[in-house]
Amino acid sequence: MPRSPHPQGSGRDARTSRLEYKGPWLGARWIVRSDSERLVRIAADFLTEEGFEARSDGFADSLRERGSEWTATALEIGDEKRSHRSWWRGLLTDELPFPMPHALQHVLPPTLVVASARPVAAGVAELVVFPHTSARGDATHARAAAPRVAAALEQITAAAGAEGAMLSHESLRGIANDGSPASQAVVREVLGWR
């Protein structure tokens, strides 16, 4: 099914209003009657609808080579350099005839989201989705992708609930460095994310 582009752009061109409420920075964990590959694919689809783009970094292959039980994918949004742009520069550089709306929108700083899943029992898998900010972008707006992440998490929860497959769900304010592909230690070591 073809997906419509996000109204505020996607990938490196994703923007957000400087005045928009950013909300809490959360991830989530679900236990679902499904298989790991399907869960990661579904999570990636919902994140893509919110403007995230899959990284072609061989993350899943790296995990397999390490003997990990997890299946995972990494998606990214934002741009390091353009996230530092001021609004007045936007007035001068955005395309005409309507530069003002783009000028008042902030280019998102780089944000990485990892969707990872592993089997926990026969026909049951654990899905973990967690976002990571980057020190490379505009620190003032480091969590500007929070509304997009929250929207994707809500859609994943609704989809699992609609299928009657969800066994449990919890929001995550942080994630332990326990070897999960969504943990800070793994994204730094395997993906070089800073």
Side-chain angles (χ1 to χ4, degrees):
M1 171 170 99
R3 304 202 188 281
S4 59
H6 193 279
Q8 289 179 300
S10 61
R12 296 174 66 91
D13 296 323
R15 296 173 181 255
T16 186
S17 166
R18 291 178 185 272
L19 305 175
E20 184 177 355
Y21 171 67
K22 304 307 180 214
W25 192 246
L26 299 173
R29 172 181 283 120
W30 300 262
I31 304 295
V32 183
R33 285 188 202 97
S34 189
D35 63 88
S36 302
E37 290 78 15
R38 181 173 181 264
L39 290 176
V40 168
R41 192 171 50 253
I42 289 169
D45 285 348
F46 284 122
L47 287 162
T48 300
E49 284 181 10
E50 293 302 320
F52 289 85
E53 293 182 347
R55 291 171 48 120
S56 56
D57 51 21
F59 189 36
D61 295 334
S62 297
L63 292 173
R64 271 192 294 280
E65 289 169 8
R66 294 166 163 254
S68 177
E69 63 182 332
W70 293 88
T71 299
T73 189
L75 299 98
E76 191 173 347
I77 198 169
D79 182 81
E80 174 184 350
K81 186 175 181 181
R82 291 187 300 151
S83 71
H84 291 287
R85 187 188 75 167
S86 62
W87 70 270
W88 61 267
R89 180 182 258 175
L91 285 173
L92 301 173
T93 61
D94 280 341
E95 64 280 352
L96 294 174
F98 304 106
M100 190 62 100
H102 280 275
L104 294 177
Q105 291 184 356
H106 184 74
V107 175
L108 292 172
T111 303
L112 176 81
V113 177
V114 174
S116 56
R118 66 177 173 180
V120 293
V124 178
E126 171 188 18
L127 172 66
V128 177
V129 177
F130 201 79
H132 298 273
T133 59
S134 172
R136 297 173 292 143
D138 178 6
T140 306
H141 299 281
R143 296 186 172 187
R148 292 180 187 230
V149 174
L153 298 180
E154 288 173 13
Q155 292 168 355
I156 294 166
T157 302
E163 288 183 5
M166 185 167 52
L167 301 175
S168 71
H169 168 263
E170 67 176 305
S171 293
L172 303 172
R173 291 201 175 271
I175 188 165
N177 285 326
D178 58 2
S180 161
S183 69
Q184 186 70 37
V186 172
V187 300
R188 283 182 185 227
E189 183 182 338
V190 178
L191 297 175
W193 183 259
R194 302 271 186 279

